[in-house]
Amino acid sequence: MNVIFLGPPGAGKGTQAQLLQQREGIPQISTGDILRAAMAAQTPLGRRAKAYVDRGDLVPDDVMIEIVKERIGQPDARRGFVLDGFPRTLGQARALDEVLTSAGRRIDVVVYFDIPDDVIVRRLTGRRVCRAAAHIYHIEFSPPRAAGRCDVDGSELFQRDDDQEETVRRRLVVYHQQTEPLVEFYRRRGVFEVLRDGDIEAVYRQLLEIIKTRAGQG
Ligand code: AMP
């Protein structure tokens, strides 16, 4: 299954992609995680991306397209993947089509996380992430068992710089301007599914149902 998660930052895409990876073995490809790892290691990519990420702006399409092209060609992604945070512009979506078509592959389903802005701000400003593997928590809605420590690997939890309220608001503006047009782009193709919001397990059940139904058709 080749799956795209579409929706604003903080909609739950990363949380659900991690569950799908853990429980179904479908690899999560999070372009945000890839950029943050490159920034932490101060690679040339990380240095180039930092200014954009810190402002809440998008990293240029050519950079992102190269990253994803390389990543979906790796062995673990040959059987399928969940793209979490890509594509984010029409240019990225068209480039993804080209890459997949030339490899004889296609997108099976685009899952849309439709969450209002006021909910997003509450979720993102309370979000915490683990240093070791980017496992996701929320100080109020999904706290770890021991304060400040990851349940899975015990590493320290921290707040992403771009989860500060001012940057969150900027990311939402960018989302509405540049990413929301993808809703119409994919809706026209008959691969589009909308998730109703709910708690983590309720959303996961819907997601699994969608993926199993689509897999049965494929
Ligand atoms: P995320 O973790 O998906 O919220 O991504 C964090 C930040 O990384 C975004 O605010 C962007 O600055 C950058 N980023 C991640 N994915 C993309 C993408 N597909 N295109 C452009 N920038 C991206």
Side-chain angles (χ1 to χ4, degrees), residues 8-10 13 30-36 39 49-61 63-65 68 84-89 92 124 127 160 162-163 167 171 174 179:
K13 303 187 301 296
S30 160
T31 45
D33 285 350
I34 292 170
L35 293 174
R36 278 183 292 279
M39 284 162 57
K50 186 171 174 8
Y52 298 98
V53 175
D54 285 351
R55 279 199 305 272
D57 283 337
L58 297 184
V59 174
D61 280 357
V63 176
M64 299 312 301
I65 291 162
V68 169
D84 159 19
F86 184 97
R88 260 172 151 104
T89 65
Q92 292 179 12
L124 285 184
R127 174 161 73 179
R160 283 169 46 175
D162 62 346
D163 282 347
T167 316
R171 290 162 68 201
V174 168
T179 308

Side-chain angles (χ1 to χ4, degrees), residues 125-170:
T125 52
R127 174 161 73 179
R128 298 294 182 270
V129 182
C130 92
R131 292 249 179 240
H135 292 118
I136 300 163
Y137 299 85
H138 188 283
I139 48 176
E140 207 181 322
F141 311 132
S142 183
R145 283 191 292 271
R149 291 275 148 207
C150 179
D151 292 351
V152 182
D153 53 45
S155 74
E156 179 201 13
L157 302 185
F158 72 102
Q159 181 174 35
R160 283 169 46 175
D161 286 341
D162 62 346
D163 282 347
Q164 311 280 347
E165 182 157 347
E166 194 189 331
T167 316
V168 166
R169 298 216 178 261
R170 170 76 196 144

Side-chain angles (χ1 to χ4, degrees), residues 2-15:
N2 300 327
V3 182
I4 290 175
F5 280 0
L6 183 62
K13 303 187 301 296
T15 299

